[in-house]
Amino acid sequence: MAQPRQQPPRIGFVSLGCPKALVDSEQILTQLRAEGYETSPSYQDADLVVVNTCGFIDSAVEESLDAIGEALAENGKVIVTGCLGAKDGGDVIRQAHPQVLAVTGPQALPEVMAAVHKHLPQPHDPFTSLVPPQGIRLTPRHYAYIKISEGCNHRCTFCIIPSMRGSLVSRPVHQIMQEAENLVDAGVKELLIISQDTSAYGVDLNYRTGFWQGKPLKARITELVRALGTLGAWVRLHYVYPYPHVDEIIPLMADGKILPYLDVPFQHASPRVLKAMRRPANTENNLARIRRWRDICPDITLRSTFIVGFPGETEAEFAQLLAFLEDAQLDRVGCFAYSPVEGAAANILADPVPEEIKEERRARFMALQEKISRDRLSRKMGKRMIVLVDEVQKNKAIARSTADAPEIDGIVHIGSSKNLKAGEFAEVEVIGSDTHDLRAKVITR
């Protein structure tokens, strides 16, 4: 009589932090599935829990420590990985939760798997055929993040990412293209390209030429995104520093090869503050380039992030930032009040800005940007556009246009869900707008 098949070991998984951490989680989950482990949706049914942490700012550290504590309370067997694990060699986590089984830093797949094997041995009969070519994904089936490099060569004074993720290490170009092709073949409609510094892709490789589909392909961002644009999916670029060669990408957007969307972290507009941040400081050139980009590609959507209340920031320098914002007329903007991060060089700078002034400046900044956003969205009234449907409900649907990255930008509300399916494109006409979102009606599916 055949013996009943033994239940495979089950692992709970908690993924925190940015899309780059999400990709690390997807890689771990893919390897777990390849080795025959199953994932559990609850702590109670899991034999072990892996928590992928974030450690960039204080609130992220607190969230990560709370998540570890919850997993320990509900399950008891916890392995911790991610950026918080790199702080003080993991001591931040061990001091708060000494009972964790293991602690690793980010991008530590072998170390995580070794810890899993030690505390929950690999099944003797893994079903590797259960792993799809595109791997295990935490995003909806119709979009996916592709991380093209790890680490960063910049040493911005407010940031500790290089101390956690190291200097720039670019992936081989053929590996990226194969992953992208697998995703599109599996039905992914949108590829979101991410890294710490997307426009620096290939610098560490000396832009070495690789091969994809038997043809040479240089490991350089312009050539990479041009190749990605041939796959038939939306290609969206994030975390693009405004190096001169970024100008080469804008014509690809104008020609419809990739989405007319650029996420550029300007961070400030005052040359002195940018120098103190150790960021490129030529604000006038940035404004000129924004105008040139819009001349080449009038439909381009520009997203950026800024920091207010950086140590030493004066009221005049903040006014300079507001003037930049008014002139640049950026479409999507995020703003953070400066927060001291343990280990950041900016912590020792003179003249820290009081908390109440930081928050007051952030509020003024966002009030101006909300007006800009509201005005720019109102200009889309009556226009037709292609949207990607994210969610279909009983009497409505939620979609995104080319101007909207998932979870960080606005959405398009569609008043009817008839004949719409999540993960499919539709043509709509804009019938309303507010500060962040659009309302639309379907023209064609």
Side-chain angles (χ1 to χ4, degrees):
M1 182 176 177
Q3 294 293 320
R5 180 171 165 269
Q6 186 176 1
Q7 180 74 19
R10 308 190 77 189
I11 293 181
F13 206 99
V14 179
S15 183
L16 304 173
C18 66
K20 294 175 282 294
L22 183 86
V23 172
D24 288 349
S25 295
E26 292 172 339
Q27 292 171 349
I28 296 169
L29 287 167
T30 296
Q31 187 62 33
L32 288 169
R33 179 70 66 85
E35 295 187 7
Y37 294 93
E38 288 188 357
T39 53
S40 170
S42 69
Y43 292 125
Q44 291 76 16
D45 295 333
D47 300 300
L48 181 150
V49 177
V50 176
V51 180
N52 189 4
T53 60
C54 179
F56 183 49
I57 58 177
D58 290 347
S59 60
V61 171
E62 184 178 348
E63 180 186 19
S64 294
L65 291 176
D66 286 348
I68 295 166
E70 180 181 358
L72 285 168
E74 296 291 334
N75 183 278
K77 298 178 68 176
V78 177
I79 292 170
V80 181
T81 186
C83 286
L84 185 56
K87 297 190 80 169
D88 297 335
D91 286 346
V92 171
I93 293 170
R94 292 190 183 94
Q95 288 174 9
H97 299 295
Q99 60 271 58
V100 296
L101 301 177
V103 179
T104 81
Q107 62 207 67
L109 176 60
E111 292 86 349
V112 172
M113 294 309 301
V116 170
H117 295 156
K118 178 179 179 181
H119 297 284
L120 188 62
Q122 179 181 353
H124 295 297
D125 187 24
F127 288 83
T128 57
S129 61
L130 295 179
V131 181
Q134 72 273 18
I136 306 302
R137 296 282 159 175
L138 297 175
T139 51
R141 296 182 63 180
H142 57 280
Y143 68 82
Y145 294 97
I146 297 182
K147 184 160 52 174
I148 63 174
S149 65
E150 284 286 0
C152 181
N153 287 342
H154 292 285
R155 295 298 181 265
C156 300
T157 56
F158 57 81
C159 181
I160 59 171
I161 291 297
S163 69
M164 294 188 286
R165 289 185 172 266
S167 295
L168 179 72
V169 179
S170 299
R171 293 175 62 192
V173 69
H174 73 275
Q175 188 183 95
I176 297 170
M177 292 304 302
Q178 188 59 63
E179 179 182 353
E181 190 173 26
N182 289 343
L183 289 166
V184 174
D185 288 345
V188 167
K189 303 293 192 350
E190 180 179 9
L191 304 172
L192 298 111
I193 309 306
I194 60 170
S195 66
Q196 300 297 333
D197 181 0
T198 296
S199 38
Y201 172 72
V203 168
D204 57 310
L205 304 175
N206 293 317
Y207 303 124
R208 178 168 68 231
T209 297
F211 289 86
W212 176 61
Q213 294 185 343
K215 298 178 181 178
L217 182 61
K218 185 180 287 190
R220 185 170 177 268
I221 188 62
T222 306
E223 285 77 6
L224 174 61
V225 298
R226 182 181 290 116
L228 290 168
T230 67
L231 297 178
W234 279 5
V235 177
R236 190 183 300 276
L237 302 182
H238 287 282
Y239 315 118
V240 181
Y241 282 75
Y243 304 142
H245 65 269
V246 172
D247 293 352
E248 302 169 9
I249 297 173
I250 309 304
L252 299 177
M253 298 179 179
D255 292 340
K257 306 298 184 185
I258 63 175
L259 289 187
Y261 180 101
L262 204 58
D263 177 2
V264 186
F266 290 120
Q267 303 297 11
H268 211 279
S270 160
R272 192 206 64 80
V273 173
L274 287 168
K275 184 177 181 180
M277 290 178 171
R278 296 184 191 160
R279 304 281 289 186
N282 199 330
T283 307
E284 293 76 18
N285 280 355
N286 284 337
L287 285 172
R289 293 179 74 199
I290 288 170
R291 296 186 188 105
R292 188 161 65 249
W293 292 345
R294 285 180 170 145
D295 287 340
I296 297 169
C297 182
D299 291 334
I300 192 171
T301 295
L302 296 175
R303 153 167 272 284
S304 191
T305 51
F306 294 87
I307 296 173
V308 298
F310 191 77
E313 181 192 61
T314 65
E315 181 62 29
E317 288 166 337
F318 175 67
Q320 196 170 3
L321 175 57
L322 294 183
F324 174 87
L325 198 63
E326 188 75 65
D327 287 341
Q329 292 286 299
L330 302 174
D331 301 273
R332 306 292 193 186
V333 170
C335 179
F336 302 91
Y338 173 75
S339 173
V341 178
E342 185 177 351
N347 294 346
I348 63 173
L349 295 178
D351 302 320
V353 179
E355 290 297 325
E356 61 272 17
I357 295 180
K358 290 183 196 175
E359 289 301 325
E360 185 266 344
R361 288 178 182 172
R362 189 186 70 82
R364 286 162 59 194
F365 180 101
M366 289 311 300
L368 173 57
Q369 178 54 35
E370 286 174 2
K371 178 182 181 301
I372 293 170
S373 176
R374 187 166 55 248
D375 291 345
R376 294 188 69 81
L377 287 177
S378 69
R379 299 175 197 172
K380 299 185 179 184
M381 283 285 293
K383 290 188 176 181
R384 294 188 176 191
M385 61 178 61
I386 300 298
V387 297
L388 181 57
V389 179
D390 279 338
E391 182 181 351
V392 174
Q393 301 173 1
K394 185 176 180 181
N395 296 314
K396 63 179 181 179
I398 305 298
R400 289 179 294 108
S401 71
T402 60
D404 307 309
E407 299 186 354
I408 60 172
D409 291 329
I411 56 178
V412 180
H413 299 272
I414 302 174
S416 171
S417 60
K418 185 179 181 181
N419 296 327
L420 294 178
K421 291 184 179 180
E424 292 190 354
F425 293 105
E427 185 180 7
V428 300
E429 179 181 326
V430 178
I431 59 173
S433 66
D434 56 28
T435 303
H436 303 292
D437 303 332
L438 297 175
R439 298 189 308 280
K441 63 180 182 181
V442 175
I443 303 300
T444 60
R445 181 181 168 186

